[in-house]
Amino acid sequence: MRRTYMGLLAIGVAAAGAVLFAASGCRTSTQSGLPNHINTVEVHIFKKKTMYKDIETWITRGIIDRINADPSIRVSSRNGDALITGEILAVDRTTLRETTSNQPGTVQITVLAEYSFYDNIQRRYIFENVPIRSSETGISPGIYEASRGGTRDEGERGAADQLAAEIVRRTIGMW
């Protein structure tokens, strides 16, 4: 008797949860999920406190390309509904593995930056100076094989691309 009651209770709770989930308006959509008043995003080129050439351009271009891939939002060159800004604080190069002749074999480039997401319509920061590291994503960005002809440029581009993807995921995709 107790098992039947518990089973019925579990079914009832599951059914009630399903009804509440459906009633809450949860749905899949191609929209970004940003507040309705944000339809355009301005992306300023990232500032940098490092001597690494072009990395700020790669990050900014990566952010723009990913936002443009979302059909419900577009990048605006000025007067956007929202604004993404950022600064590259450091670029680190770490040798993960050396060759038998003590030369760098596997190398990882890590980019440390901070970014902000400002709502120009409501005149408030949604995120401000959020620190982010390209190696946070867990899929080994910025790694290249120097011992097999890989270049530092490949590592920098990989780290920049991964950082851009994570910034867009956290700002546009997080809603």
Side-chain angles (χ1 to χ4, degrees):
M1 178 75 160
R2 182 164 166 79
R3 284 187 184 167
T4 304
Y5 174 74
M6 294 304 273
L8 289 173
L9 181 63
I11 291 171
V13 168
V19 168
L20 287 173
F21 181 75
S24 70
C26 294
R27 66 193 185 286
T28 57
S29 171
T30 58
Q31 294 181 338
S32 68
L34 285 171
N36 289 336
H37 65 275
I38 297 179
N39 298 308
T40 60
V41 176
E42 221 178 307
V43 182
H44 288 189
I45 192 154
F46 273 44
K47 297 175 184 173
K48 66 178 181 174
K49 290 184 176 179
T50 161
M51 298 305 292
Y52 280 78
K53 182 180 173 230
D54 296 329
I55 200 154
E56 73 283 1
T57 305
W58 297 331
I59 291 170
T60 306
R61 173 78 352 221
I63 291 169
I64 290 169
D65 290 346
R66 282 176 172 74
I67 292 172
N68 281 335
D70 186 328
S72 65
I73 193 163
R74 68 182 199 283
V75 173
S76 173
S77 59
R78 51 183 222 182
N79 299 325
D81 300 330
L83 170 65
I84 295 176
T85 58
E87 184 172 22
I88 300 161
L89 304 174
V91 178
D92 297 322
R93 182 177 181 265
T94 305
T95 300
L96 302 176
R97 180 188 60 83
E98 290 184 348
T99 64
T100 54
S101 58
N102 294 330
Q103 297 297 316
T106 304
V107 180
Q108 181 175 21
I109 301 291
T110 303
V111 179
L112 174 63
E114 62 183 22
Y115 70 99
S116 299
F117 190 49
Y118 186 78
D119 183 334
N120 285 328
I121 304 295
Q122 294 184 350
R123 300 189 187 282
R124 67 180 181 91
Y125 278 99
I126 296 172
F127 304 120
E128 186 174 14
N129 299 327
V130 175
I132 186 168
R133 184 179 301 273
S134 62
S135 58
E136 289 177 347
T137 60
I139 61 169
S140 305
I143 292 180
Y144 66 98
E145 294 293 331
S147 61
R148 295 188 180 137
T151 65
R152 187 182 81 194
D153 193 55
E154 288 174 26
E156 290 174 13
R157 283 182 184 258
D161 188 55
Q162 194 59 43
L163 193 70
E166 186 63 13
I167 289 170
V168 170
R169 185 191 72 75
R170 290 183 183 185
T171 55
I172 307 301
M174 61 77 64
W175 298 90

